[in-house]
Amino acid sequence: MTDCIFCKIVRGEIQTLKVYEDSLNLAFLDINPSSLGHTIIIPKKHYQKLEEMTEEEAKELFSVIFRLTKIIPKSVGTTDCNIGINNGKFAGQEVSHLHFHIIPRFEGDNGLPMQGLVRMEVKKEDLPNIAEKIKKEIENSEVFKEKEKSEEQKKEKSEEIKEIKEESTKSSEREWQEFNLEEQDKAPNYSEARRE
Ligand code: AMP
């Protein structure tokens, strides 16, 4: 059992203002809000950083964030918000349990955009080099290969299902034809009957 503050919230050992909960995720108001409606969204399972989760868990978490983005700004009378993670110590993470922030933004609130978080000196002429490094890393890493593999598997599966469906339609048509033929064999010969 961890003594992480957000794990304690999950276990109900620390009181918080919950706004949403399901079996995997929880959302509550930030105790020290940056703006009206500032909300923290966490997976109940303890991870420090986003990349530690499984893709399925990340999808579930992102689906909650997606839905809350439609609700939270509106419920505090605005249309806009910043959404983000302080993903790791260097990025300013203080609570070491993965969490998203939804921070509603208001006209004239004097806040900064996300790009205002850090201003490193990066030379424009270095950008192509950086893009190459990232692309090479993608090529060499297993991360996207897994995605390609799973997409290939999904495609194969859906083709399999399509084939099974087509086969079953064909065979039910055949059965219907056979059934009709049988019925015709059994039909009485009325022309014979009339002659009698
Ligand atoms: P960070 O780890 O930098 O992304 O920030 C952690 C956030 O969690 C801060 O905005 C805190 O105000 C917030 N926070 C810390 N403890 C609590 C708590 N007990 N209830 C709600 N929010 C909290």
Side-chain angles (χ1 to χ4, degrees), residues 108-130:
D109 65 10
N110 290 323
L112 293 172
M114 299 261 261
Q115 305 90 298
L117 287 173
V118 62
R119 292 314 299 168
M120 276 173 79
E121 199 66 50
V122 182
K123 292 194 196 103
K124 282 227 166 58
E125 56 267 32
D126 288 343
L127 295 182
N129 214 358
I130 296 165

Short mmCIF file of all heavy atoms in Angstrom, two decimals, residues 108-130:
data_model
loop_
_atom_site.label_atom_id
_atom_site.label_comp_id
_atom_site.label_asym_id
_atom_site.label_seq_id
_atom_site.Cartn_x
_atom_site.Cartn_y
_atom_site.Cartn_z
N GLY A 108 -9.37 37.47 -20.70
CA GLY A 108 -8.67 38.46 -19.87
C GLY A 108 -8.16 37.91 -18.55
O GLY A 108 -7.98 38.68 -17.60
N ASP A 109 -7.92 36.58 -18.46
CA ASP A 109 -7.46 36.03 -17.17
C ASP A 109 -5.94 36.26 -16.95
O ASP A 109 -5.40 35.88 -15.92
CB ASP A 109 -7.83 34.55 -17.01
CG ASP A 109 -7.12 33.63 -18.01
OD1 ASP A 109 -6.19 34.08 -18.72
OD2 ASP A 109 -7.49 32.44 -18.10
N ASN A 110 -5.29 36.84 -17.93
CA ASN A 110 -3.86 37.17 -17.84
C ASN A 110 -2.93 35.97 -17.72
O ASN A 110 -1.76 36.11 -17.38
CB ASN A 110 -3.57 38.15 -16.67
CG ASN A 110 -4.14 39.52 -16.95
OD1 ASN A 110 -4.12 39.98 -18.10
ND2 ASN A 110 -4.69 40.15 -15.93
N GLY A 111 -3.47 34.78 -17.97
CA GLY A 111 -2.62 33.59 -17.92
C GLY A 111 -1.82 33.44 -19.21
O GLY A 111 -2.03 34.16 -20.18
N LEU A 112 -0.91 32.46 -19.21
CA LEU A 112 -0.08 32.21 -20.39
C LEU A 112 -0.60 30.99 -21.13
O LEU A 112 -1.28 30.14 -20.55
CB LEU A 112 1.36 31.92 -19.94
CG LEU A 112 2.13 33.08 -19.31
CD1 LEU A 112 3.44 32.56 -18.75
CD2 LEU A 112 2.39 34.18 -20.34
N PRO A 113 -0.27 30.88 -22.42
CA PRO A 113 -0.52 29.60 -23.09
C PRO A 113 0.50 28.57 -22.62
O PRO A 113 1.49 28.93 -21.96
CB PRO A 113 -0.32 29.94 -24.58
CG PRO A 113 0.63 31.08 -24.57
CD PRO A 113 0.39 31.86 -23.30
N MET A 114 0.31 27.31 -22.97
CA MET A 114 1.23 26.23 -22.56
C MET A 114 2.68 26.52 -22.95
O MET A 114 3.60 26.16 -22.24
CB MET A 114 0.82 24.92 -23.22
CG MET A 114 -0.55 24.48 -22.85
SD MET A 114 -0.46 23.26 -21.58
CE MET A 114 -0.63 21.83 -22.55
N GLN A 115 2.85 27.15 -24.12
CA GLN A 115 4.21 27.42 -24.60
C GLN A 115 4.95 28.37 -23.68
O GLN A 115 6.16 28.50 -23.78
CB GLN A 115 4.20 28.02 -26.02
CG GLN A 115 3.46 27.22 -27.05
CD GLN A 115 2.01 27.62 -27.12
OE1 GLN A 115 1.30 27.47 -26.13
NE2 GLN A 115 1.57 28.10 -28.26
N GLY A 116 4.21 29.01 -22.78
CA GLY A 116 4.85 29.93 -21.84
C GLY A 116 5.48 29.20 -20.66
O GLY A 116 6.15 29.81 -19.83
N LEU A 117 5.29 27.88 -20.60
CA LEU A 117 5.83 27.10 -19.48
C LEU A 117 7.35 27.12 -19.46
O LEU A 117 7.98 27.11 -18.42
CB LEU A 117 5.39 25.63 -19.61
CG LEU A 117 3.94 25.30 -19.31
CD1 LEU A 117 3.67 23.84 -19.65
CD2 LEU A 117 3.66 25.55 -17.83
N VAL A 118 7.94 27.07 -20.65
CA VAL A 118 9.39 27.02 -20.75
C VAL A 118 9.82 27.72 -22.03
O VAL A 118 9.11 27.64 -23.04
CB VAL A 118 9.88 25.53 -20.68
CG1 VAL A 118 9.35 24.72 -21.83
CG2 VAL A 118 11.39 25.44 -20.64
N ARG A 119 10.93 28.46 -21.99
CA ARG A 119 11.43 29.13 -23.18
C ARG A 119 12.90 28.81 -23.35
O ARG A 119 13.76 29.58 -22.94
CB ARG A 119 11.22 30.66 -23.09
CG ARG A 119 9.79 31.15 -23.15
CD ARG A 119 8.92 30.57 -24.22
NE ARG A 119 9.35 30.78 -25.60
CZ ARG A 119 8.84 30.15 -26.64
NH1 ARG A 119 7.89 29.24 -26.47
NH2 ARG A 119 9.27 30.39 -27.84
N MET A 120 13.19 27.66 -23.92
CA MET A 120 14.59 27.30 -24.18
C MET A 120 15.03 27.98 -25.48
O MET A 120 14.21 28.21 -26.37
CB MET A 120 14.74 25.79 -24.37
CG MET A 120 14.88 25.02 -23.09
SD MET A 120 14.83 23.24 -23.44
CE MET A 120 16.49 22.96 -24.03
N GLU A 121 16.31 28.23 -25.57
CA GLU A 121 16.86 28.77 -26.82
C GLU A 121 17.05 27.61 -27.79
O GLU A 121 17.90 26.75 -27.57
CB GLU A 121 18.20 29.43 -26.49
CG GLU A 121 18.71 30.43 -27.50
CD GLU A 121 17.85 31.68 -27.62
OE1 GLU A 121 17.53 32.28 -26.57
OE2 GLU A 121 17.50 32.01 -28.77
N VAL A 122 16.22 27.55 -28.84
CA VAL A 122 16.38 26.49 -29.86
C VAL A 122 16.55 27.16 -31.22
O VAL A 122 15.70 27.97 -31.61
CB VAL A 122 15.15 25.54 -29.89
CG1 VAL A 122 15.36 24.42 -30.91
CG2 VAL A 122 14.88 24.94 -28.51
N LYS A 123 17.65 26.81 -31.91
CA LYS A 123 17.91 27.46 -33.21
C LYS A 123 17.02 26.85 -34.29
O LYS A 123 16.89 25.62 -34.37
CB LYS A 123 19.39 27.27 -33.59
CG LYS A 123 20.33 28.03 -32.70
CD LYS A 123 21.73 28.06 -33.35
CE LYS A 123 22.78 28.46 -32.35
NZ LYS A 123 23.58 27.35 -31.84
N LYS A 124 16.45 27.72 -35.13
CA LYS A 124 15.56 27.25 -36.22
C LYS A 124 16.29 26.25 -37.12
O LYS A 124 15.70 25.27 -37.57
CB LYS A 124 15.08 28.44 -37.05
CG LYS A 124 13.97 29.21 -36.39
CD LYS A 124 12.83 29.48 -37.39
CE LYS A 124 11.57 29.94 -36.70
NZ LYS A 124 11.71 31.14 -35.87
N GLU A 125 17.60 26.49 -37.37
CA GLU A 125 18.34 25.61 -38.30
C GLU A 125 18.56 24.20 -37.70
O GLU A 125 18.91 23.27 -38.41
CB GLU A 125 19.67 26.23 -38.75
CG GLU A 125 20.63 26.65 -37.64
CD GLU A 125 20.47 28.12 -37.23
OE1 GLU A 125 19.33 28.62 -37.30
OE2 GLU A 125 21.47 28.74 -36.84
N ASP A 126 18.33 24.05 -36.40
CA ASP A 126 18.47 22.72 -35.78
C ASP A 126 17.20 21.88 -35.91
O ASP A 126 17.22 20.67 -35.63
CB ASP A 126 18.81 22.86 -34.29
CG ASP A 126 20.23 23.35 -34.07
OD1 ASP A 126 21.02 23.25 -35.03
OD2 ASP A 126 20.53 23.83 -32.96
N LEU A 127 16.09 22.52 -36.31
CA LEU A 127 14.80 21.80 -36.31
C LEU A 127 14.79 20.56 -37.23
O LEU A 127 14.33 19.50 -36.80
CB LEU A 127 13.64 22.75 -36.65
CG LEU A 127 13.36 23.86 -35.62
CD1 LEU A 127 12.16 24.70 -36.05
CD2 LEU A 127 13.12 23.30 -34.23
N PRO A 128 15.30 20.64 -38.49
CA PRO A 128 15.28 19.44 -39.34
C PRO A 128 16.02 18.27 -38.70
O PRO A 128 15.59 17.12 -38.77
CB PRO A 128 15.97 19.89 -40.63
CG PRO A 128 15.83 21.37 -40.64
CD PRO A 128 15.84 21.81 -39.20
N ASN A 129 17.15 18.58 -38.04
CA ASN A 129 17.94 17.57 -37.36
C ASN A 129 17.15 16.87 -36.24
O ASN A 129 17.18 15.65 -36.10
CB ASN A 129 19.15 18.30 -36.73
CG ASN A 129 20.35 17.42 -36.74
OD1 ASN A 129 20.29 16.27 -37.18
ND2 ASN A 129 21.46 17.95 -36.22
N ILE A 130 16.41 17.69 -35.51
CA ILE A 130 15.60 17.15 -34.40
C ILE A 130 14.49 16.26 -34.94
O ILE A 130 14.24 15.17 -34.43
CB ILE A 130 15.02 18.31 -33.54
CG1 ILE A 130 16.16 19.11 -32.88
CG2 ILE A 130 14.07 17.78 -32.46
CD1 ILE A 130 15.76 20.45 -32.33
#
